[in-house]
Amino acid sequence: MAFAEKNLTVRPPIDVEGRRIKRYHVTADPAGIEPEVEDAAHRFLPQLLRTLPEPDGTPPGGFLVLHRGGDDGAYLNVYSWVWDNVLHFAGGAAGQPVLGCPDRDPARFVRLDRSLIGCVWELPPIAHERDAWVRHMLAAPAPDLDGYLADTLRAPTTGTTGPVRPGTRQPHG
């Protein structure tokens, strides 16, 4: 089976449903994710955020990974911090009938009802986000949601080996 890393792009954070969400895009296409797929994912995002537990005082932060597959598929993984140190997941898919999508349209998202948290190209941001949450929210003298939102995995591909620090180059596969 052939394997190739994919492009990883960080988009500016957005505010949705009272939550501040970092955004990562994953795609093999150097041009990025099509605007209509990104727009459809953003329209679907509130539905996924409504699956969160009731607010409990945890600062309302999280991140998403929007992945455009090599076929018709598009995947929206939304991760939100709850109960101070727990990562909640909700996912959507489009264009992938095997996952319950009605057709092959990569802009028609449906809620995933399976216990899938991400594929190999979608997992690198999770490792970074865990460390960023600890740095800015749990180990800091005071929680710093703005600092957390500014701390993103900035690497050209999903083949990262750890967080990128300002002024350093990230090795990749």
Side-chain angles (χ1 to χ4, degrees):
M1 175 183 304
F3 175 80
E5 295 294 352
K6 293 187 178 184
N7 300 302
L8 178 69
T9 306
V10 177
R11 307 279 292 151
I14 56 175
D15 293 341
V16 180
E17 299 279 312
R19 297 198 71 76
R20 299 179 70 194
I21 308 291
K22 298 185 201 186
R23 298 182 297 153
Y24 294 96
H25 285 187
V26 173
T27 181
D29 186 345
I33 293 177
E34 304 97 316
E36 61 272 14
V37 172
E38 181 179 20
D39 291 344
H42 287 172
R43 286 191 307 274
F44 190 72
L45 179 57
Q47 182 177 332
L48 296 178
L49 291 173
R50 289 183 201 119
T51 68
L52 286 165
E54 289 297 317
D56 64 355
T58 301
F63 61 101
L64 67 78
V65 178
L66 178 58
H67 179 185
R68 186 66 165 92
D71 54 10
D72 295 327
Y75 312 93
L76 177 60
N77 299 339
V78 181
Y79 306 93
S80 299
W81 293 102
V82 298
W83 305 323
D84 292 329
N85 58 16
V86 174
L87 193 57
H88 178 275
F89 170 78
Q96 196 58 264
V98 71
L99 293 177
C101 300
D103 53 37
R104 296 201 170 277
D105 181 353
R108 187 173 302 159
F109 284 88
V110 298
R111 172 110 167 73
L112 287 179
D113 61 357
R114 300 178 185 202
S115 52
L116 308 170
I117 64 163
C119 73
V120 296
W121 296 286
E122 298 160 354
L123 295 177
I126 294 174
H128 174 83
E129 292 301 317
R130 179 262 181 211
D131 293 345
W133 189 259
V134 169
R135 270 192 301 277
H136 298 283
M137 304 304 292
L138 302 178
D144 178 9
L145 187 58
D146 289 331
Y148 168 74
L149 292 169
D151 187 341
T152 58
L153 177 62
R154 295 186 183 270
T157 70
T158 54
T160 60
T161 57
V164 176
R165 304 276 188 252
T168 63
R169 285 188 44 92
Q170 177 68 38
H172 55 29

